[in-house]
């Protein structure tokens, strides 16, 4: 027989508000007055809030697909981040960067400008909240100093609360990490050596103009197009299966749709390209594919047997990154 649960005190026993409950030892009585240990009372709520995974952390931000691409696919890129209500005094700009030196979460330059790193590990399941906390701390950090890692409060703001929702998100992809330092062309010594090492490890990448979330990259044996899409997963896989079964899922001779992966709640189809195919070469075929995909997405007839087989193949080659 299942063991009966002991009756729990009613909510009326709470004497102070959640926001006023201090953090205590897990086995100590909860300060809210419930009579339970902190671990089983407000501590459980705090731990859940800190670890609960937000499936689409960048949802609601302009350019969600590009946010995901810069987080997972692009080695070196920056984007200006306009804030709600404008920039604070003494902060000439806020710039998102894929990665910063020493994996710093953020950096306040000597002139007061803020660089916010995107590809860092985060302390909770909500990347947006963690980044917003880092950004807030960076805005008040003394110029000329990096921002250390920290834990965002469970009720803290998210990027969606801090950034201007009407400002476009326009990433700039760089061939290297010279944006780390001002006057990089004059760098010498260890700074120059660090830049050289970082640049040597970066995979050449380019953004496809006019196609949100689409990025070409150069690999040793073949190039790739990786396209972060905003469409619901099941609907997108059906559409890709229709195109694949019809022989129209490629981007031209020598190209092939090889599968997809998931990243931050979005699906990212991937194509193999010939090593001779540049970012400029793939731009036209990718735009044409986008038109075919839009028509396939608008089709709601049941999949044929051949299309179901194509869908199964695509699903079997799907990988989850985050």
């Amino acid at each position: 027989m299942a063991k009966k649960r002991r009756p729990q005190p009613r909510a009326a026993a709470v004497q102070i508000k959640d926001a006023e409950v201090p953090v205590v030892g897990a086995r100590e009585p909860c300060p809210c007055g419930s009579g339970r240990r902190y671990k089983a009372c407000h501590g459980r709520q705090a731990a859940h809030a800190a670890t609960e995974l937000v499936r689409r952390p960048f949802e609601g931000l302009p350019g969600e697909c590009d946010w995901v691409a810069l987080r997972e696919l692009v080695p070196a890129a920056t984007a200006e981040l306009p804030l709600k209500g404008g920039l604070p005094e003494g902060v000439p700009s806020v710039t998102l960067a894929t990665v910063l030196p020493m994996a710093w979460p953020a950096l306040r330059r000597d002139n007061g400008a803020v660089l916010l790193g995107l590809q860092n590990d985060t302390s909770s399941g909500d990347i947006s909240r963690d980044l917003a906390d880092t950004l807030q701390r960076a805005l008040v950090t003394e110029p000329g100093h990096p921002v250390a890692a920290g834990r965002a409060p469970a009720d803290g703001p998210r990027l969606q609360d801090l950034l201007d929702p009407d400002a476009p998100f326009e990433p700039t992809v760089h061939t290297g990490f010279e944006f780390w330092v001002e006057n990089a062309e004059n760098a010498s010594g260890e700074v120059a050596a660090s830049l050289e090492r970082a640049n040597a490890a970066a995979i050449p990448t380019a953004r496809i103009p006019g196609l949100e979330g689409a990025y070409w990259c150069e690999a040793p044996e073949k190039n790739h197009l990786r396209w972060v899409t905003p469409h619901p997963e099941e609907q997108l896989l059906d559409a890709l299966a229709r195109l694949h079964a019809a022989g129209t899922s490629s981007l031209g001779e020598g190209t092939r749709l090889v599968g997809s992966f998931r990243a931050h709640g979005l699906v990212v189809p991937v194509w193999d390209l010939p090593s001779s195919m540049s970012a400029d070469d793939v731009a036209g075929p990718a735009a044409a594919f986008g038109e075919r995909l839009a028509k396939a997405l608008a089709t709601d007839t049941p999949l044929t047997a051949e299309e179901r087989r194509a869908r199964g193949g695509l699903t079997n080659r799907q990988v989850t990154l985050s």
Side-chain angles (χ1 to χ4, degrees):
M1 180 179 292
K3 187 176 180 180
K4 291 184 178 180
R5 296 184 62 186
R6 299 176 63 179
Q8 300 294 336
R10 295 181 181 274
V14 177
Q15 299 172 353
I16 54 179
K17 296 179 181 179
D18 289 358
E20 298 169 342
V21 178
V23 176
V24 297
R27 295 181 178 277
E28 295 177 12
C30 187
C32 76
S34 67
R36 289 177 287 174
R37 291 178 177 178
Y38 176 72
K39 178 180 180 181
C41 190
H42 280 85
R44 175 184 295 173
Q45 299 172 18
H48 179 72
T51 58
E52 184 178 10
L53 178 65
V54 176
R55 184 169 174 266
R56 288 178 61 178
F58 306 115
E59 185 177 15
L61 290 172
E64 179 188 8
C65 296
D66 283 313
W67 276 92
V68 172
L70 265 58
R71 169 77 182 185
E72 298 295 338
L73 307 178
V74 184
T78 56
E80 296 302 307
L81 297 180
L83 305 185
K84 286 182 179 178
L87 296 169
E89 184 177 354
V91 181
S93 64
V94 174
T95 303
L96 183 73
T98 46
V99 66
L100 294 175
M102 308 296 293
W104 287 327
L107 171 67
R108 185 90 186 271
R109 290 196 188 278
D110 291 335
N111 67 355
V114 167
L115 288 177
L116 177 66
L118 179 58
Q119 293 182 7
N120 299 78
D121 292 334
T122 55
S123 59
S124 78
D126 187 353
I127 297 170
S128 178
R129 195 179 309 281
D130 291 332
L131 288 171
D133 177 71
T134 301
L135 174 56
Q136 287 189 310
R137 291 187 289 115
L139 292 172
V140 297
T141 294
E142 286 294 318
H145 290 81
V147 178
R151 179 175 290 277
D155 59 351
R158 308 178 73 236
L159 287 174
Q160 289 82 343
D161 302 315
L162 302 182
L163 303 184
D164 183 350
D166 298 321
F169 185 70
E170 299 178 345
T172 298
V173 177
H174 303 278
T175 57
F177 296 92
E178 282 73 18
F179 62 85
W180 280 354
V181 295
E182 297 177 280
N183 302 317
E185 64 276 7
N186 298 322
S188 61
E190 181 55 31
V191 173
S194 295
L195 282 174
E196 185 176 354
R197 288 194 297 270
N199 290 345
I203 297 174
T205 301
R207 186 179 184 225
I208 305 301
L211 301 177
E212 181 184 345
Y215 289 80
W216 168 95
C217 71
E218 180 181 325
E221 296 183 359
K222 61 186 69 175
N223 298 340
H224 303 283
L225 177 70
R226 299 177 290 188
W227 195 341
V228 186
T229 62
H231 312 294
E233 180 173 340
E234 296 303 314
Q235 183 183 2
L236 175 64
L237 289 175
D238 281 353
L240 291 175
R242 296 181 196 278
L243 295 177
H244 201 63
T248 57
S249 65
S250 74
L251 302 174
E253 185 177 356
T255 72
R256 185 167 67 100
L257 175 65
V258 293
S260 63
F261 56 84
R262 302 183 190 91
H264 306 292
L266 299 182
V267 178
V268 187
V270 179
W271 287 263
D272 279 351
L273 311 174
S275 57
S276 59
M277 196 171 197
S278 68
D280 290 338
D281 295 334
V282 80
F289 174 84
E291 295 177 359
R292 297 196 299 274
L293 178 63
K295 293 179 180 179
L297 286 166
T299 303
D300 57 5
T301 56
L303 297 180
T304 66
E306 187 178 359
E307 290 168 346
R308 288 197 300 272
R309 285 193 294 270
R311 194 186 195 282
L314 291 170
T315 303
N316 290 338
R317 296 194 297 273
Q318 198 171 45
V319 176
T320 300
L321 294 185
S322 58

